[in-house]
Amino acid sequence: MSWILAFVGFAALIILHEFGHFAAAKAVGMRVERFALFFPPLLFKVKRGETEYGVGAIPLGGYVKITGMNPAEEIAPEHAERAYYRQPVWKRVVVIAAGPAMNVLVAFLILFALFAFKGEQVVNSTVGAVQPASAAAGVLKPGDKIVAVDGVKGDPEVLRTRINTHTCAAGAKVDKCVAATPAKVTVQRAGRTVVLDVSPRYDKTLKRMLLGFSFGGTYHRLPIGDSANRSVTGMWNVTTATVDTVTRLFYDSSARKNLSGVVGSYETTRQSFAADDIDLALRILALISLSLAIVNLFPFLPLDGGHIFWALAEKVRGRPIPFRVMEQASYVGFVLVIMLFAVGLTNDIGRLQDGGFGVK
């Protein structure tokens, strides 16, 4: 079921992005030839009015085909007035920007709903969830209250720090290495206090020793205004971090190593659903939706931002940009997109081979 839910979540983000383009194109009077989920060959298609709706066989995206998106395209005389490149610049910008705008809206609505209806979590020292196949699996249980670790008491951050003081038996900290000595975890369970031995393991991604559980907490619903403010603030922080990461890809190897792609995003979402952590899964989908909008707005063809850039360049220039110039520019953009995809996919494959994407 987790595979299906993650797939449905991704498909919804694609459909909504393309629906943004579709609805805007229809609203400004452009002719939409096809609205497709996934890429050809089409497995299913049906025509309603002038638009063909279909589902492709390659689940890597989706697209809206608008008449005249290619300036060199041959267009039937009866459709020429509604072709994309025959429209004013503002209409083209509206149509292209509507896709990323829809993703931004989706991200905001998900986060807003979580803050307004579920609330903000105030973490406490109880065990919220235990990761399968972790050190804590079969030892700690959801609902256990952590009283102390190695005799050290305090809030969750103090307890995390204490766990991280353990050293690996092998000396150097390598991924999944086991601590030389187990952590003495004092918990209250079913009205009694017990001391459990749990050996932390090193996680090279987080660069710390972990037991493999998450702290629980209580949720406090936020007022409407606070929910909106927290959502916008969180989205802005993600936006600045994403832009910073993408710009550092060209000179910082650590940024390239931290980049994740479609596989990583999908697997993390799937694991969240598998762990019955619907809140986390929705937050990840909101993050993916926002990231999809941000990346799409970079000013390189074939990304949406590239189309917007050249439309605005035409407005400034006062006449159409030669198709040859845009075509050559698209080669550069295509190479950059493939590079990002390749780096992200390579990192994802490496993480899968090295233990997967632990949702911690």
Side-chain angles (χ1 to χ4, degrees):
M1 182 59 70
S2 64
W3 292 93
I4 296 174
L5 291 174
F7 178 82
V8 170
F10 268 64
L13 295 183
I14 294 170
I15 291 173
L16 290 169
H17 178 93
E18 298 303 329
F19 179 76
H21 293 310
F22 171 82
K26 289 283 190 180
V28 299
M30 294 184 189
R31 182 174 183 268
V32 180
E33 297 180 22
R34 178 180 291 168
F35 180 22
L37 172 63
F38 306 145
F39 294 137
L42 294 182
L43 301 176
F44 165 82
K45 59 182 180 181
V46 60
K47 193 164 186 176
R48 293 289 183 270
E50 64 183 11
T51 305
E52 180 181 80
Y53 302 86
V55 178
I58 305 176
L60 293 177
Y63 65 99
V64 173
K65 188 177 187 309
I66 302 172
T67 299
M69 280 292 292
N70 184 335
E73 178 183 339
E74 292 186 6
I75 305 171
E78 62 271 23
H79 303 314
E81 291 185 0
R82 299 176 61 203
Y84 176 84
Y85 271 107
R86 301 290 180 89
Q87 305 302 309
V89 169
W90 74 266
K91 287 189 177 182
R92 282 180 268 158
V93 171
V94 166
V95 170
I96 298 302
M102 181 64 75
N103 285 126
V104 172
L105 177 61
V106 169
F108 173 79
L109 290 177
I110 291 175
L111 295 176
F112 177 80
L114 288 173
F115 280 126
F117 297 105
K118 180 93 184 252
E120 185 177 43
Q121 186 182 35
V122 178
V123 178
N124 55 36
S125 298
T126 61
V127 175
V130 179
Q131 279 187 275
S134 68
V139 184
L140 297 178
K141 299 179 179 180
D144 286 347
K145 182 179 180 179
I146 309 295
V147 177
V149 175
D150 298 328
V152 176
K153 300 180 179 181
D155 60 25
E157 192 55 42
V158 171
L159 300 178
R160 289 192 186 100
T161 300
R162 180 58 197 174
I163 292 169
N164 195 42
T165 61
H166 283 257
T167 57
C168 291
K173 290 184 176 180
V174 295
D175 198 41
K176 297 184 180 61
C177 70
V178 180
T181 57
K184 299 289 185 180
V185 183
T186 305
V187 304
Q188 288 184 351
R189 177 187 296 171
R192 62 193 184 94
T193 301
V194 295
V195 179
L196 305 169
D197 287 342
V198 191
S199 297
R201 300 174 188 172
Y202 185 69
D203 185 283
K204 73 172 186 179
T205 302
L206 297 179
K207 297 180 180 179
R208 62 185 301 151
M209 301 294 284
L210 300 173
L211 297 185
F213 75 93
S214 61
F215 286 103
T218 56
Y219 285 87
H220 299 277
R221 292 175 60 181
L222 299 178
I224 298 299
D226 287 347
S227 297
N229 183 59
R230 293 291 182 88
S231 301
V232 172
T233 301
M235 290 169 64
W236 175 250
N237 291 338
V238 170
T239 300
T240 55
T242 301
V243 173
D244 177 65
T245 298
V246 172
T247 55
R248 288 193 294 112
L249 290 175
F250 300 98
Y251 62 87
D252 187 347
S253 60
S254 64
R256 291 192 290 274
K257 291 178 181 178
N258 291 329
L259 184 68
S260 189
V262 176
V263 175
S265 300
Y266 177 86
E267 180 61 12
T268 304
T269 307
R270 186 198 67 77
Q271 288 185 17
S272 300
F273 279 121
D276 292 327
D277 197 337
I278 306 301
D279 287 356
L280 178 59
L282 289 174
R283 291 179 192 280
I284 291 174
L285 285 174
L287 174 63
I288 294 170
S289 185
L290 180 59
S291 299
L292 180 61
I294 296 167
V295 173
N296 254 296
L297 286 173
F298 277 90
F300 307 111
L301 290 171
L303 299 177
D304 292 336
H307 289 283
I308 294 173
F309 173 82
W310 288 107
L312 294 176
E314 177 183 322
K315 184 69 174 177
V316 172
R317 186 171 183 256
R319 59 185 187 277
I321 305 295
F323 178 60
R324 178 181 56 81
V325 174
M326 289 191 294
E327 190 175 37
Q328 292 176 342
S330 70
Y331 297 150
V332 177
F334 185 76
V335 170
L336 290 174
V337 171
I338 292 298
M339 183 192 75
L340 289 174
F341 179 83
V343 172
L345 180 61
T346 301
N347 289 344
D348 289 345
I349 292 174
R351 293 183 185 114
L352 285 171
Q353 294 174 337
D354 202 22
F357 302 83
V359 178
K360 301 176 175 66

